[in-house]
Amino acid sequence: VARDFIQKLEDIVAILLLPAFFAITGMRTELRLVSGFESIFFCIVIIVVAMIVAILFAITSIRIQLGNMIADLASPNQPDAEEIAEAAINFSPDDPTANWFKATIEKSVFSPTRLESSKRYFERSVMLAPFDYRWWLELGRSYEQSESPNAESAFLQAKKLAPSSVYVQWQLGNYYLRQGRTDDAFAAF
């Protein structure tokens, strides 16, 4: 909850307050006080550089948000999900949601090479957002599917990050049941 609040607060500051600060500061600038060729030249250079940086920042921000939005709103069951996942990764390769979406698509194909690719995308999601239990659960499922010995540690990390989550406990318990460890499974439930 705290992370979500901080994220929303950062969005408000970045989207509303920071531009308002620069607009108010810019309106107080007295350009008629700038005199001489050298001062005017430096002023123009600063304005042009600031505009270029602002445009590049806007383009980068839009790409990141677009990749996240595509991955967040698309369904892995859509007929064109593979192309959508590729677009999300192309727009935002460092977004955990885009990597999760691509991994989910890869996992649904049921071939050894695609399962390995899926595992790499899930590992990247965890690397990009190590404190999000959802990515750890998905990684645990992926490890279990590929019969990796790391599955239990991924599920336990998810439980450590979200100890009161019933969903995490359910997933961990089911993992133990599938492994034939019924005592551990009932303890997890």
Side-chain angles (χ1 to χ4, degrees), residues 16-28:
L16 296 176
L17 299 180
L18 200 58
F21 167 76
F22 284 115
I24 291 170
T25 304
M27 288 189 297
R28 291 187 191 155

Side-chain angles (χ1 to χ4, degrees), residues 128-150:
L128 293 169
F131 300 110
D132 192 330
Y133 74 91
R134 299 171 302 168
W135 311 141
W136 284 100
L137 279 179
E138 294 291 345
L139 182 61
R141 285 193 211 124
S142 177
Y143 281 159
E144 182 183 7
Q145 211 170 17
S146 64
E147 299 178 359
S148 169
N150 299 328

Side-chain angles (χ1 to χ4, degrees), residues 28-36 39-40 43:
R28 291 187 191 155
T29 304
E30 301 256 353
L31 288 178
R32 58 191 156 104
L33 297 177
V34 178
S35 61
S39 297
I40 292 173
C43 186

Side-chain angles (χ1 to χ4, degrees), residues 4-186:
D4 290 340
F5 175 74
I6 290 171
Q7 181 65 39
K8 297 296 180 198
L9 190 62
E10 286 175 354
D11 291 345
I12 290 171
V13 168
I15 293 171
L16 296 176
L17 299 180
L18 200 58
F21 167 76
F22 284 115
I24 291 170
T25 304
M27 288 189 297
R28 291 187 191 155
T29 304
E30 301 256 353
L31 288 178
R32 58 191 156 104
L33 297 177
V34 178
S35 61
F37 176 75
E38 190 175 293
S39 297
I40 292 173
F41 175 74
F42 283 127
C43 186
I44 290 172
V45 167
I46 289 171
I47 290 171
V48 168
V49 168
M51 289 173 57
I52 290 171
V53 168
I55 290 169
L56 290 175
F57 178 76
I59 290 170
T60 303
S61 298
I62 289 169
R63 283 181 56 97
I64 291 169
Q65 289 295 340
L66 191 58
N68 182 283
M69 183 184 71
I70 289 170
D72 217 17
L73 297 178
S75 169
N77 301 328
Q78 289 178 233
D80 57 346
E82 199 157 336
E83 292 83 18
I84 293 171
E86 200 60 46
I89 288 289
N90 287 337
F91 278 120
S92 187
D94 294 332
D95 180 56
T97 307
N99 281 276
W100 166 82
F101 188 65
K102 178 69 173 168
T104 303
I105 300 304
E106 293 286 307
K107 185 172 72 170
S108 67
V109 176
F110 301 116
S111 78
T113 55
R114 297 292 286 269
L115 284 176
E116 189 61 34
S117 173
S118 170
K119 187 169 65 171
R120 283 194 309 273
Y121 280 110
F122 282 132
E123 287 170 342
R124 183 150 171 75
S125 290
V126 164
M127 183 191 75
L128 293 169
F131 300 110
D132 192 330
Y133 74 91
R134 299 171 302 168
W135 311 141
W136 284 100
L137 279 179
E138 294 291 345
L139 182 61
R141 285 193 211 124
S142 177
Y143 281 159
E144 182 183 7
Q145 211 170 17
S146 64
E147 299 178 359
S148 169
N150 299 328
E152 182 178 10
S153 62
F155 283 118
L156 290 173
Q157 180 64 22
K159 185 176 181 180
K160 180 180 172 188
L161 293 171
S164 60
S165 169
V166 175
Y167 183 66
V168 172
Q169 293 168 358
W170 178 258
Q171 292 296 324
L172 180 60
N174 278 308
Y175 166 74
Y176 286 140
L177 277 177
R178 289 188 295 271
Q179 299 302 310
R181 296 167 56 185
T182 53
D183 290 340
D184 291 332
F186 288 119

